[in-house]
Amino acid sequence: MRYRKLGRTNFEISEIGFGAWGIGGKQWLGGEDSESLAALRRAIELGVNLIDTALAYGDGHSEKLVGQVVRENRGKIYVATKVPPKNRIWPAQGTIAEVFPYDYIMTCADESLRNLGLDAIDLLQLHVWSSDWLASGEWRRAFEDLKRSGKVRSVGISATEHDPDSVLGIVETGLIDAVQVIYNIFDQAPETRLLPLAKKLDVGILARVPLDEGALSGRFTEDIQFPKGDFREWYFRGGRRREVVQHVDALKRDLAGESVPDTALRFCLSHPAVSSVIPGMRTRAHVESNAALSEQGALPGEMLAMLKRHAWDRNYYT
Ligand SMILES: NC(=O)c1ccc[n+]([C@@H]2O[C@H](COP(=O)([O-])OP(=O)(O)OC[C@H]3O[C@@H](n4cnc5c(N)ncnc54)[C@H](OP(=O)(O)O)[C@@H]3O)[C@@H](O)[C@H]2O)c1
């Protein structure tokens, strides 16, 4: 496993991080805690030292599993978690007083610390963001006080789905250490402004949803079924599965036998502004195959040029 620095922090984080939404169990169904714990432990054995979770993932369940595994480990494991919007609306909607008032941010950080069973959170992120809140004192004061108290070591923002530019302003304030953003073969938009700015200002980048919620696993069929009530049943609703299969088939033709998920993760790591890519993983098999990719390095230039043609402008989160 190779490691990169997370922006201006002194965290040397693994290029492959562990996305822990799926193991929360409420939005992604069909997993088992025993396998999730085994996947987390295997990831750590293979050198993964960054885990991205959130208070909202299974209402604290993901944080509890993550905390359990982190506490039994002697080496340093970096835990990133998130404060959910108070009104529980994704993407961001409302005033800062409705979404992230100071007291609420402080209370959520304490709740995450209790779930994790840890003394400090390495990276605390706001789970949604609106550029309208830039001038507000609420998040500035909360971040400052949490850092000063030692409860939080670094702070960041999770950018609005398919709107990387929504965080340019807050990155420019110099007050955040990292941004988590959708960056994958289909959504290459962060390359235009966010990634160059983050590189210039030395702000960390976590590339989230690198497999487009599983579409870039390369295994979908037009009639794939998800468990009833699973987030993916909604995300891939109606004619979307057929659209996905058409786009992934076109990609497969150009990849001429190269693995779709391997290429998708290496695509993210090929950009120098990316600190870590955080695929969601609930099985040891996925952990093993993904952790092995870090050593393979960046994709060749011709491959990256070819992948540019597969950018796909759409938003399934609405
Ligand atoms: N708003 C936000 O801040 C936000 C939103 C979404 C995600 N995130 C973060 O980003 C992480 C990643 O996103 P995600 O989990 O939503 O989606 P993702 O990483 O794009 O896709 C996850 C899917 O890919 C599958 N997968 C993983 N490795 C694979 C491999 N080698 N071959 C085939 N399939 C593979 C997983 O299967 P299994 O689950 O069966 O292993 C799962 O079905 C999340 O876990 C979370 O930490 C943040």
Side-chain angles (χ1 to χ4, degrees):
M1 179 66 68
R2 297 184 192 176
Y3 298 83
R4 298 185 185 185
K5 208 156 71 64
L6 181 71
R8 291 182 298 261
T9 71
N10 59 1
F11 306 170
E12 288 287 336
I13 57 170
S14 51
E15 288 190 340
I16 305 289
F18 192 110
W21 182 18
I23 66 168
K26 283 205 175 149
Q27 292 97 355
W28 291 64
L29 304 174
E32 290 286 338
D33 283 355
S34 55
E35 183 58 20
S36 302
L37 289 167
L40 281 165
R41 291 187 181 113
R42 186 72 184 124
I44 292 170
E45 265 169 30
L46 293 172
V48 170
N49 74 353
L50 169 72
I51 306 175
D52 178 69
T53 181
L55 187 52
Y57 295 169
D59 297 327
H61 189 64
S62 171
E63 288 185 329
K64 286 179 186 159
L65 296 178
V66 169
Q68 183 180 334
V69 171
V70 170
R71 287 194 312 274
E72 66 194 28
N73 215 273
R74 290 217 190 97
K76 176 64 193 159
I77 307 297
Y78 294 96
V79 176
T81 193
K82 310 184 194 82
V83 180
K86 188 175 182 194
N87 59 8
R88 292 295 193 276
I89 301 177
W90 275 265
Q93 216 181 91
T95 63
I96 190 103
E98 289 159 345
V99 186
F100 289 129
Y102 171 88
D103 288 343
Y104 169 79
I105 297 177
M106 305 303 275
T107 306
C108 287
D110 283 334
E111 198 178 336
S112 289
L113 282 169
R114 275 194 303 278
N115 287 336
L116 291 162
L118 299 173
D119 298 333
I121 293 162
D122 296 300
L123 172 64
L124 184 72
Q125 308 154 105
L126 298 183
H127 209 148
V128 298
W129 180 251
S130 161
S131 51
D132 296 347
W133 306 333
L134 197 56
S136 155
E138 304 284 321
W139 62 269
R140 290 170 188 249
R141 207 154 51 84
F143 277 176
E144 204 180 296
D145 289 353
L146 284 166
K147 273 186 160 181
R148 197 181 305 120
S149 69
K151 289 181 181 178
V152 164
R153 296 197 172 103
S154 69
V155 293
I157 296 290
S158 189
T160 307
E161 286 74 12
H162 303 303
D163 187 8
D165 290 359
S166 59
V167 297
L168 296 177
I170 191 166
V171 168
E172 275 166 350
T173 64
L175 296 175
I176 59 165
D177 303 291
V179 166
Q180 176 169 146
V181 64
I182 296 180
Y183 180 49
N184 59 42
I185 293 173
F186 290 152
D187 186 352
Q188 306 186 22
E191 288 175 9
T192 311
R193 280 172 289 272
L194 177 59
L195 298 187
L197 183 68
K199 184 88 190 128
K200 182 171 140 211
L201 301 181
D202 206 9
V203 167
I205 293 283
L206 303 185
R208 83 174 196 246
V209 198
L211 299 176
D212 186 27
E213 310 293 10
L216 288 165
S217 67
R219 294 180 195 154
F220 278 24
T221 55
E222 287 186 15
D223 53 4
I224 187 170
Q225 295 294 318
F226 300 104
K228 203 163 169 37
D230 189 294
F231 151 78
R232 291 164 296 174
E233 200 186 30
W234 171 82
Y235 185 79
F236 295 111
R237 66 192 180 273
R240 293 175 172 189
R241 291 158 219 225
R242 197 178 31 185
E243 271 184 349
V244 162
V245 169
Q246 283 166 359
H247 280 262
V248 174
D249 281 350
L251 175 61
K252 282 179 178 168
R253 281 193 292 279
D254 279 350
L255 285 177
E258 294 282 340
S259 151
V260 178
D262 290 9
T263 306
L265 297 183
R266 287 180 66 202
F267 165 82
C268 298
L269 289 175
S270 298
H271 200 292
V274 170
S275 321
S276 180
V277 59
I278 53 168
M281 307 185 273
R282 293 179 296 171
T283 64
R284 275 167 291 185
H286 284 160
V287 164
E288 285 171 5
S289 122
N290 297 344
L293 296 172
S294 160
E295 290 297 333
Q296 295 186 19
L299 292 172
E302 321 80 75
M303 170 91 87
L304 289 170
M306 177 277 282
L307 293 176
K308 283 244 160 283
R309 297 201 299 272
H310 291 276
W312 179 16
D313 187 14
R314 50 94 158 138
N315 189 350
Y316 280 2
Y317 294 96
T318 53

